[in-house]
Every structure is written in structure tokens, then in C-alpha cells.
Amino acid sequence: RIENVFEFSKDGRSERKLASQRVYLAGDLVRMLGRAGLRVVGLYGSPDEEAFALSCHRLLIVAERQLAS
């Protein structure tokens, strides 16, 4: 977990806000989606469907609902 504190100031007033983020591996997300009944059909590094690689700045996952058998 990553926690950051942001401080905003305007017109002599200050406000602090806490932001908490979790970091997951691609495999963790695939497993979580599977447990939720989704099947991953693609992992992409860009909206242009560039294959995901560790050097990518983002991960886009395309998943579909699994039909009951």
C-alpha cells in the first residue's frame, strides 16, 4: 500500500488530504477477475492494443463474463 499526504493551499487556507493506493501485479488482477466470474481476453499497454509489458506506464485489461455451463 502506498500512502501520500497532499496539502492544498488557497487564499491563506490549507487543507491536508490522505490518498491511499494499492499496487497489484497483473497476475493478481487476472486472478481477482477470475474469482469474480470474468475471463481475461487481453492485457494491453495502450488503447491501441499494444501488448502489455513491464515497461508500460499503464495496464488495460479486457475481460468478459463467463457463461454458466
Side-chain angles (χ1 to χ4, degrees):
R1 180 181 290 214
I2 300 172
E3 294 188 357
N4 293 300
V5 177
F6 294 94
E7 186 167 341
F8 303 93
S9 299
K10 184 177 181 181
D11 300 327
R13 291 179 25 219
S14 272
E15 189 173 338
R16 293 172 62 103
K17 296 288 184 180
L18 175 66
S20 179
Q21 301 168 323
R22 293 180 186 244
V23 178
Y24 296 98
L25 301 174
D28 295 334
L29 295 170
V30 169
R31 282 186 291 282
M32 283 189 264
L33 290 167
R35 287 193 300 269
L38 298 169
R39 182 176 72 87
V40 172
V41 295
L43 297 172
Y44 302 106
S46 76
D48 298 326
E49 298 184 0
E50 168 192 344
F52 176 72
L54 291 178
S55 60
C56 293
H57 295 279
R58 68 175 82 184
L59 168 60
L60 302 171
I61 300 176
V62 177
E64 61 187 9
R65 187 172 19 161
Q66 295 180 38
L67 300 176
S69 44

